[in-house]
PDB file of all heavy atoms in Angstrom:
ATOM      1  N   VAL W 124     -16.294 -27.883 -24.894  1.00 95.00           N
ATOM      2  CA  VAL W 124     -16.586 -26.953 -25.978  1.00 95.00           C
ATOM      3  C   VAL W 124     -18.049 -27.082 -26.371  1.00 95.00           C
ATOM      4  O   VAL W 124     -18.573 -28.178 -26.638  1.00 95.00           O
ATOM      5  CB  VAL W 124     -15.705 -27.214 -27.200  1.00 95.00           C
ATOM      6  CG1 VAL W 124     -16.009 -26.201 -28.303  1.00 95.00           C
ATOM      7  CG2 VAL W 124     -14.224 -27.163 -26.812  1.00 95.00           C
ATOM      8  N   GLN W 131     -15.803 -22.023 -29.752  1.00 93.00           N
ATOM      9  CA  GLN W 131     -14.576 -22.725 -30.068  1.00 93.00           C
ATOM     10  C   GLN W 131     -13.368 -21.777 -29.954  1.00 93.00           C
ATOM     11  O   GLN W 131     -12.332 -22.146 -29.400  1.00 93.00           O
ATOM     12  CB  GLN W 131     -14.656 -23.301 -31.490  1.00 93.00           C
ATOM     13  CG  GLN W 131     -15.657 -24.445 -31.610  1.00 93.00           C
ATOM     14  CD  GLN W 131     -15.811 -24.948 -33.035  1.00 93.00           C
ATOM     15  OE1 GLN W 131     -15.321 -24.322 -33.978  1.00 93.00           O
ATOM     16  NE2 GLN W 131     -16.478 -26.079 -33.192  1.00 93.00           N
ATOM     17  N   TYR W 135     -10.367 -22.484 -27.304  1.00 96.00           N
ATOM     18  CA  TYR W 135      -9.064 -22.877 -27.882  1.00 96.00           C
ATOM     19  C   TYR W 135      -8.055 -21.731 -27.867  1.00 96.00           C
ATOM     20  O   TYR W 135      -6.846 -21.982 -27.819  1.00 96.00           O
ATOM     21  CB  TYR W 135      -9.246 -23.364 -29.306  1.00 96.00           C
ATOM     22  CG  TYR W 135      -9.720 -24.791 -29.429  1.00 96.00           C
ATOM     23  CD1 TYR W 135     -11.058 -25.098 -29.636  1.00 96.00           C
ATOM     24  CD2 TYR W 135      -8.821 -25.834 -29.315  1.00 96.00           C
ATOM     25  CE1 TYR W 135     -11.488 -26.410 -29.747  1.00 96.00           C
ATOM     26  CE2 TYR W 135      -9.240 -27.156 -29.440  1.00 96.00           C
ATOM     27  CZ  TYR W 135     -10.585 -27.442 -29.654  1.00 96.00           C
ATOM     28  OH  TYR W 135     -10.996 -28.749 -29.768  1.00 96.00           O
ATOM     29  N   VAL W 153     -12.130 -30.362 -23.835  1.00 98.00           N
ATOM     30  CA  VAL W 153     -12.901 -31.546 -24.222  1.00 98.00           C
ATOM     31  C   VAL W 153     -13.886 -31.126 -25.300  1.00 98.00           C
ATOM     32  O   VAL W 153     -14.789 -30.284 -25.052  1.00 98.00           O
ATOM     33  CB  VAL W 153     -13.636 -32.174 -23.008  1.00 98.00           C
ATOM     34  CG1 VAL W 153     -14.415 -33.403 -23.452  1.00 98.00           C
ATOM     35  CG2 VAL W 153     -12.639 -32.522 -21.933  1.00 98.00           C
ATOM     36  N   ASP W 154     -13.738 -31.655 -26.496  1.00 97.00           N
ATOM     37  CA  ASP W 154     -14.471 -31.155 -27.656  1.00 97.00           C
ATOM     38  C   ASP W 154     -15.371 -32.288 -28.212  1.00 97.00           C
ATOM     39  O   ASP W 154     -14.905 -33.121 -29.036  1.00 97.00           O
ATOM     40  CB  ASP W 154     -13.502 -30.684 -28.732  1.00 97.00           C
ATOM     41  CG  ASP W 154     -14.184 -29.876 -29.820  1.00 97.00           C
ATOM     42  OD1 ASP W 154     -15.414 -30.095 -30.031  1.00 97.00           O
ATOM     43  OD2 ASP W 154     -13.528 -29.070 -30.488  1.00 97.00           O
ATOM     44  N   PRO W 155     -16.636 -32.334 -27.814  1.00 95.00           N
ATOM     45  CA  PRO W 155     -17.563 -33.358 -28.316  1.00 95.00           C
ATOM     46  C   PRO W 155     -17.858 -33.187 -29.809  1.00 95.00           C
ATOM     47  O   PRO W 155     -18.245 -34.175 -30.455  1.00 95.00           O
ATOM     48  CB  PRO W 155     -18.851 -33.148 -27.483  1.00 95.00           C
ATOM     49  CG  PRO W 155     -18.430 -32.317 -26.306  1.00 95.00           C
ATOM     50  CD  PRO W 155     -17.316 -31.482 -26.804  1.00 95.00           C
ATOM     51  N   ILE W 156     -17.703 -31.971 -30.340  1.00 94.00           N
ATOM     52  CA  ILE W 156     -18.006 -31.753 -31.769  1.00 94.00           C
ATOM     53  C   ILE W 156     -16.914 -32.410 -32.626  1.00 94.00           C
ATOM     54  O   ILE W 156     -17.203 -33.152 -33.560  1.00 94.00           O
ATOM     55  CB  ILE W 156     -18.103 -30.244 -32.069  1.00 94.00           C
ATOM     56  CG1 ILE W 156     -19.249 -29.610 -31.243  1.00 94.00           C
ATOM     57  CG2 ILE W 156     -18.359 -30.000 -33.545  1.00 94.00           C
ATOM     58  CD1 ILE W 156     -18.828 -28.808 -30.086  1.00 94.00           C
ATOM     59  N   GLN W 157     -15.660 -32.130 -32.303  1.00 95.00           N
ATOM     60  CA  GLN W 157     -14.557 -32.718 -33.083  1.00 95.00           C
ATOM     61  C   GLN W 157     -14.127 -34.085 -32.511  1.00 95.00           C
ATOM     62  O   GLN W 157     -13.254 -34.718 -33.044  1.00 95.00           O
ATOM     63  CB  GLN W 157     -13.374 -31.760 -33.065  1.00 95.00           C
ATOM     64  CG  GLN W 157     -13.639 -30.440 -33.730  1.00 95.00           C
ATOM     65  CD  GLN W 157     -12.381 -29.626 -33.968  1.00 95.00           C
ATOM     66  OE1 GLN W 157     -11.362 -30.137 -34.389  1.00 95.00           O
ATOM     67  NE2 GLN W 157     -12.461 -28.322 -33.713  1.00 95.00           N
ATOM     68  N   GLN W 158     -14.774 -34.449 -31.396  1.00 96.00           N
ATOM     69  CA  GLN W 158     -14.509 -35.757 -30.743  1.00 96.00           C
ATOM     70  C   GLN W 158     -13.020 -35.921 -30.439  1.00 96.00           C
ATOM     71  O   GLN W 158     -12.379 -36.918 -30.805  1.00 96.00           O
ATOM     72  CB  GLN W 158     -15.050 -36.914 -31.587  1.00 96.00           C
ATOM     73  CG  GLN W 158     -16.545 -36.882 -31.740  1.00 96.00           C
ATOM     74  CD  GLN W 158     -17.121 -38.149 -32.320  1.00 96.00           C
ATOM     75  OE1 GLN W 158     -16.412 -39.023 -32.768  1.00 96.00           O
ATOM     76  NE2 GLN W 158     -18.445 -38.255 -32.319  1.00 96.00           N
ATOM     77  N   GLN W 159     -12.466 -34.929 -29.750  1.00 97.00           N
ATOM     78  CA  GLN W 159     -11.073 -34.993 -29.339  1.00 97.00           C
ATOM     79  C   GLN W 159     -10.904 -34.256 -28.011  1.00 97.00           C
ATOM     80  O   GLN W 159     -11.730 -33.411 -27.635  1.00 97.00           O
ATOM     81  CB  GLN W 159     -10.185 -34.372 -30.420  1.00 97.00           C
ATOM     82  CG  GLN W 159     -10.389 -32.856 -30.579  1.00 97.00           C
ATOM     83  CD  GLN W 159      -9.468 -32.280 -31.673  1.00 97.00           C
ATOM     84  OE1 GLN W 159      -9.107 -32.952 -32.608  1.00 97.00           O
ATOM     85  NE2 GLN W 159      -9.112 -30.998 -31.529  1.00 97.00           N
ATOM     86  N   ILE W 160      -9.775 -34.545 -27.377  1.00 98.00           N
ATOM     87  CA  ILE W 160      -9.416 -33.877 -26.134  1.00 98.00           C
ATOM     88  C   ILE W 160      -8.001 -33.317 -26.282  1.00 98.00           C
ATOM     89  O   ILE W 160      -7.070 -34.042 -26.631  1.00 98.00           O
ATOM     90  CB  ILE W 160      -9.477 -34.823 -24.929  1.00 98.00           C
ATOM     91  CG1 ILE W 160     -10.914 -35.326 -24.717  1.00 98.00           C
ATOM     92  CG2 ILE W 160      -8.946 -34.151 -23.657  1.00 98.00           C
ATOM     93  CD1 ILE W 160     -11.029 -36.386 -23.654  1.00 98.00           C
ATOM     94  N   THR W 161      -7.880 -32.016 -26.068  1.00 98.00           N
ATOM     95  CA  THR W 161      -6.594 -31.363 -26.116  1.00 98.00           C
ATOM     96  C   THR W 161      -6.100 -31.153 -24.697  1.00 98.00           C
ATOM     97  O   THR W 161      -6.787 -30.509 -23.882  1.00 98.00           O
ATOM     98  CB  THR W 161      -6.681 -30.013 -26.844  1.00 98.00           C
ATOM     99  OG1 THR W 161      -7.186 -30.219 -28.168  1.00 98.00           O
ATOM    100  CG2 THR W 161      -5.306 -29.356 -26.935  1.00 98.00           C
ATOM    101  N   VAL W 174      -2.994 -33.942 -28.353  1.00 98.00           N
ATOM    102  CA  VAL W 174      -4.397 -34.189 -28.726  1.00 98.00           C
ATOM    103  C   VAL W 174      -4.679 -35.668 -28.714  1.00 98.00           C
ATOM    104  O   VAL W 174      -3.905 -36.466 -29.245  1.00 98.00           O
ATOM    105  CB  VAL W 174      -4.705 -33.582 -30.110  1.00 98.00           C
ATOM    106  CG1 VAL W 174      -6.153 -33.814 -30.485  1.00 98.00           C
ATOM    107  CG2 VAL W 174      -4.404 -32.076 -30.110  1.00 98.00           C
ATOM    108  N   PHE W 175      -5.856 -36.048 -28.135  1.00 98.00           N
ATOM    109  CA  PHE W 175      -6.222 -37.452 -28.007  1.00 98.00           C
ATOM    110  C   PHE W 175      -7.640 -37.647 -28.521  1.00 98.00           C
ATOM    111  O   PHE W 175      -8.509 -36.797 -28.327  1.00 98.00           O
ATOM    112  CB  PHE W 175      -6.119 -37.887 -26.534  1.00 98.00           C
ATOM    113  CG  PHE W 175      -4.795 -37.629 -25.907  1.00 98.00           C
ATOM    114  CD1 PHE W 175      -4.581 -36.463 -25.211  1.00 98.00           C
ATOM    115  CD2 PHE W 175      -3.760 -38.525 -26.032  1.00 98.00           C
ATOM    116  CE1 PHE W 175      -3.347 -36.187 -24.635  1.00 98.00           C
ATOM    117  CE2 PHE W 175      -2.518 -38.272 -25.446  1.00 98.00           C
ATOM    118  CZ  PHE W 175      -2.313 -37.096 -24.764  1.00 98.00           C
ATOM    119  N   SER W 176      -7.873 -38.796 -29.164  1.00 96.00           N
ATOM    120  CA  SER W 176      -9.193 -39.101 -29.682  1.00 96.00           C
ATOM    121  C   SER W 176      -9.456 -40.610 -29.603  1.00 96.00           C
ATOM    122  O   SER W 176      -8.505 -41.417 -29.392  1.00 96.00           O
ATOM    123  CB  SER W 176      -9.348 -38.629 -31.120  1.00 96.00           C
ATOM    124  OG  SER W 176      -8.407 -39.272 -31.970  1.00 96.00           O
ATOM    125  N   LEU W 201     -15.397 -38.520 -23.588  1.00 95.00           N
ATOM    126  CA  LEU W 201     -16.313 -37.979 -24.577  1.00 95.00           C
ATOM    127  C   LEU W 201     -17.671 -38.687 -24.613  1.00 95.00           C
ATOM    128  O   LEU W 201     -18.537 -38.289 -25.355  1.00 95.00           O
ATOM    129  CB  LEU W 201     -15.667 -37.974 -25.958  1.00 95.00           C
ATOM    130  CG  LEU W 201     -14.505 -37.006 -26.142  1.00 95.00           C
ATOM    131  CD1 LEU W 201     -13.692 -37.368 -27.360  1.00 95.00           C
ATOM    132  CD2 LEU W 201     -15.011 -35.567 -26.238  1.00 95.00           C
TER     133      LEU W 201
END
Side-chain angles (χ1 to χ4, degrees):
V124 182
Q131 292 176 348
Y135 279 99
V153 180
D154 194 334
I156 299 103
Q157 298 191 43
Q158 296 191 351
Q159 67 180 29
I160 296 173
T161 302
V174 180
F175 306 93
S176 61
L201 291 163

